[in-house]
Amino acid sequence: FALLVGIMGLAYIVRPLITQLGGHFTQADFAAVLSIGFLGSSMPTMVGRFLAVISASDYFASPENEWPTYTLPNLPTWLLPSNTGDAIGMFYRGAPPYVEFPWAVWMVPMFWWLGLIIAIIVVCFCLGVVLRKQWSERERLSYPLVQVSMLLVEEPKPGDLLPSFFKERLFWIGFGLGAIVLLWNVTGHFFPGMPVFAFMNQNNPLPLGRGFPDLFIRFDFYVICFAYFTSLDVLLSMWFFHLLAMLQVGAANRIGLPSGVTSMNNYGLAVFVVWGLWLTRSHFLDVWRKAIGKAPHVDDSMELASYRTCVLGIGIGGIFIFLWMMRIGMGPGTALMYLFSSLVLYLGMAKIVALSGLVSLRGSDTTGITKGVIGTWNMSDRSIAATDLMLAMYSWAKGFCMPGAVNATKAGEFSGGRRSLGHAVLLGAILSLFACIGMTLWLGYFGTGAENFGSYDFTNGNRHSYGYTVSAIKNKGAAVRSWWGPGWGIVGGIITAVLIVLNHRVPWGPLHPVGFTVSYQYPTRASFFSIFVAWVCKLILIRVG
């Protein structure tokens, strides 16, 4: 959202001024800004939870929560900032006047964590470059975020200062409806007694019956507008499979059995990603042969980085991430499982966003999946603690910067200088990372204090990982594998495979496997009604003509 606001500011304020001064701001320039912004705007989502988790270890530890007994002894001291001299306490409460920033507490942990984060950024960027041709040119994904952004900044006709759609009545009707409702609700936020359009501000529950979860009715202009650029089969599958998931959960509750919907989603997403990688096998072979100099006919001149650079970036970055996880205490099998589940999450969410444009969608956290597959009874105490600590990279299970990377490479198609733009995209992401970390720390120490951010990350979300470790270690001896989860997961994988085959073999089929893979995640619940509205509107318009 912030990226779009900035882009529109450039298009509707800065570009007319530059034009009046005799300059020219082309659409290729906007595409370059978008490319840099897509990857850079991924950082704030991750940074909040990251700083909240690593700062909580020493400050919130107490004999009552048993972190000093089970969690902290199994984590490297160089990975977490200590509360020496109340350094972390001042971050949460705000520092007294004239107190300097406690550099000594933060420098060493930041050095090691930034190494990991930058490696992840590089790997995601390189994967985005490698996948661009397959997803954009061969599979022809719609990339709604890029489509909408480029439409909003289309070049004005000669003699005009603003795009031509500013002269269309329908544009102003649509803009007026949305703006009036949103501005009215903004006013209601500052004047609590004022009535507002509640169906936009909250999830209004629609009961389905005893034991069944409520459907959420919420009208979201943002979701509806981006969903309109999504294909009908994807939209239908998202609301249809969500409705089925709610009925499945309710039926399971009534008969007293686990519903297994989350496991079905997780295994389904894995099948969806693995199938996508299988479809890309010939392209991967071309990339590899180009990287080792045996395929001069393969053209990578239109990419943000050469295929050789990308192969090196993925290889070196992947090895560094694996060794980093081993160094903090993960066993080799656990580290490999975590990397695989992270790859599934990152690629899965990136492709779903490229298909639907719905950036609010998310999957399941890879920490829980890793522990569930390996089994805590097969893991050492250090491995459990290290795996739980990786919740610092949770990023709300949205795939961190991978969706931003694939959108950046797509936006790069509209720009001219590819290699130089690729350098700028990476540099912009790293600068955004440093800016977000610096601003968050500054606001904590010299602003309101992190406890007053009003963020779930700093009030509760930052303590889960350490509590999970205590519970897992204490109960490791009595833990027994339940086969309900894997059993339902296999069913979900089979259903996804059937949907994939039907989607490829029956072009007129109304359902897409994407909707099944995220059918029970919270953002899908919150967006259910808006997606349904977008589907109905688009269906009517296509049928009517």
Side-chain angles (χ1 to χ4, degrees):
F1 180 76
L3 175 60
L4 281 179
V5 171
I7 286 293
M8 288 189 290
L10 284 176
Y12 309 148
I13 300 174
V14 176
R15 179 166 61 184
L17 291 175
I18 292 176
T19 303
Q20 291 285 65
L21 295 173
H24 192 47
F25 207 140
T26 67
Q27 200 164 24
D29 298 326
F30 280 106
V33 174
L34 271 174
S35 274
I36 298 170
F38 272 127
L39 194 56
S41 61
S42 307
M43 302 304 133
T45 305
M46 183 277 299
V47 165
R49 179 63 65 93
F50 159 65
L51 288 178
V53 169
I54 68 170
S55 64
S57 58
D58 195 15
Y59 181 63
F60 290 107
S62 68
E64 289 76 19
N65 60 32
E66 300 181 289
W67 296 2
T69 304
Y70 294 99
T71 304
L72 300 185
N74 291 302
L75 292 172
T77 56
W78 44 265
L79 202 57
L80 302 167
S82 70
N83 195 30
T84 303
D86 197 33
I88 304 302
M90 290 188 291
F91 171 61
Y92 277 90
R93 300 188 308 270
Y98 310 112
V99 171
E100 295 184 356
F101 182 82
W103 294 99
V105 168
W106 287 97
M107 287 297 289
V108 173
M110 278 299 172
F111 173 80
W112 290 106
W113 279 106
L114 286 175
L116 172 69
I117 296 170
I118 292 173
I120 295 174
I121 293 172
V122 169
V123 170
C124 288
F125 171 75
C126 293
L127 282 171
V129 171
V130 168
L131 290 168
R132 185 205 66 81
K133 182 175 289 186
Q134 173 71 24
W135 288 5
S136 177
E137 299 179 13
R138 298 181 179 178
E139 299 184 33
R140 297 187 180 278
L141 304 187
S142 55
Y143 293 91
L145 289 175
V146 180
Q147 278 194 61
V148 174
S149 301
M150 295 308 296
L151 286 172
L152 288 172
V153 298
E154 68 178 25
E155 291 197 42
K157 293 179 179 179
D160 292 343
L161 294 178
L162 294 171
S164 58
F165 61 76
F166 268 74
K167 298 179 181 179
E168 296 179 9
R169 182 180 299 176
L170 283 176
F171 166 76
W172 287 107
I173 292 174
F175 175 82
L177 287 174
I180 290 171
V181 173
L182 292 173
L183 291 175
W184 184 276
N185 281 1
V186 168
T187 306
H189 174 78
F190 293 99
F191 299 93
M194 180 178 173
V196 296
F197 296 98
F199 63 89
M200 292 188 59
N201 282 2
Q202 61 192 28
N203 297 321
N204 303 284
L206 176 64
L208 294 179
R210 184 166 61 90
F212 288 79
D214 296 332
L215 287 176
F216 289 159
I217 306 300
R218 182 174 185 167
F219 192 91
D220 192 323
F221 278 116
Y222 192 81
V223 171
I224 291 172
C225 291
F226 277 102
Y228 180 78
F229 289 84
T230 305
S231 61
L232 281 173
D233 59 341
V234 173
L235 292 177
L236 173 61
S237 69
M238 293 187 73
W239 71 259
F240 175 75
F241 284 118
H242 172 65
L243 184 59
L244 286 186
M246 304 296 276
L247 295 176
Q248 180 178 335
V249 171
N253 290 340
R254 293 298 298 270
I255 62 178
L257 293 176
S259 69
V261 176
T262 302
S263 295
M264 294 173 75
N265 287 173
N266 294 338
Y267 279 64
L269 186 63
V271 170
F272 178 70
V273 170
V274 171
W275 175 260
L277 295 176
W278 174 253
L279 289 180
T280 316
R281 63 192 184 281
S282 61
H283 176 61
F284 284 152
L285 181 60
D286 288 343
V287 170
W288 173 254
R289 294 178 66 234
K290 179 69 173 180
I292 61 177
K294 291 187 176 181
H297 64 281
V298 175
D299 183 17
D300 64 352
S301 60
M302 301 295 290
E303 308 296 345
L304 298 184
S306 69
Y307 286 155
R308 177 173 296 177
T309 300
C310 290
V311 169
L312 286 173
I314 295 169
I316 296 173
I319 291 171
F320 176 84
I321 295 169
F322 175 75
L323 295 176
W324 192 96
M325 292 178 178
M326 292 275 291
R327 183 68 180 86
I328 68 170
M330 282 192 193
T334 304
L336 286 173
M337 184 61 220
Y338 186 89
L339 283 174
F340 173 74
S341 55
S342 296
L343 181 68
V344 167
L345 174 68
Y346 281 33
L347 290 180
M349 298 315 300
K351 195 164 190 177
I352 289 172
V353 170
L355 275 165
S356 67
L358 303 177
V359 292
S360 63
L361 297 180
R362 70 181 186 218
S364 298
D365 77 272
T366 51
T367 294
I369 294 173
T370 301
K371 290 165 64 180
V373 172
I374 299 294
T376 53
W377 53 89
N378 294 320
M379 301 167 64
S380 67
D381 292 354
R382 291 188 66 221
S383 189
I384 292 173
T387 304
D388 284 329
L389 184 63
M390 292 306 294
L391 278 171
M393 303 301 300
Y394 177 51
S395 193
W396 291 99
K398 294 181 179 181
F400 183 20
C401 59
M402 192 66 218
V406 298
N407 278 305
T409 58
K410 176 64 178 180
E413 294 179 6
F414 298 88
S415 182
R418 293 302 178 87
R419 294 290 190 269
S420 57
L421 177 59
H423 301 154
V425 168
L426 265 181
L427 179 61
I430 294 172
L431 290 177
S432 176
L433 171 66
F434 278 88
C436 290
I437 290 175
M439 180 59 70
T440 304
L441 291 175
W442 186 88
L443 288 173
Y445 282 102
F446 309 116
T448 60
E451 286 180 345
N452 300 310
F453 285 171
S455 168
Y456 174 77
D457 289 334
F458 288 95
T459 55
N460 199 7
N462 53 353
R463 307 172 206 186
H464 292 325
S465 63
Y466 305 102
Y468 291 157
T469 300
V470 172
S471 177
I473 293 177
K474 288 179 67 176
N475 300 316
K476 185 167 63 171
V480 178
R481 184 184 296 278
S482 171
W483 292 104
W484 279 108
W488 279 117
I490 292 171
V491 172
I494 293 172
I495 292 174
T496 305
V498 171
L499 289 170
I500 289 172
V501 172
L502 291 176
N503 187 252
H504 281 76
R505 299 295 183 184
V506 186
W508 49 265
L511 295 175
H512 193 283
V514 157
F516 182 79
T517 64
V518 291
S519 64
Y520 195 58
Q521 302 296 339
Y522 171 75
T524 309
R525 295 188 67 188
S527 305
F528 158 76
F529 183 71
S530 299
I531 292 172
F532 175 76
V533 170
W535 174 77
V536 170
C537 292
K538 187 166 185 175
L539 180 65
I540 293 173
L541 289 172
I542 288 178
R543 294 292 175 87
V544 172

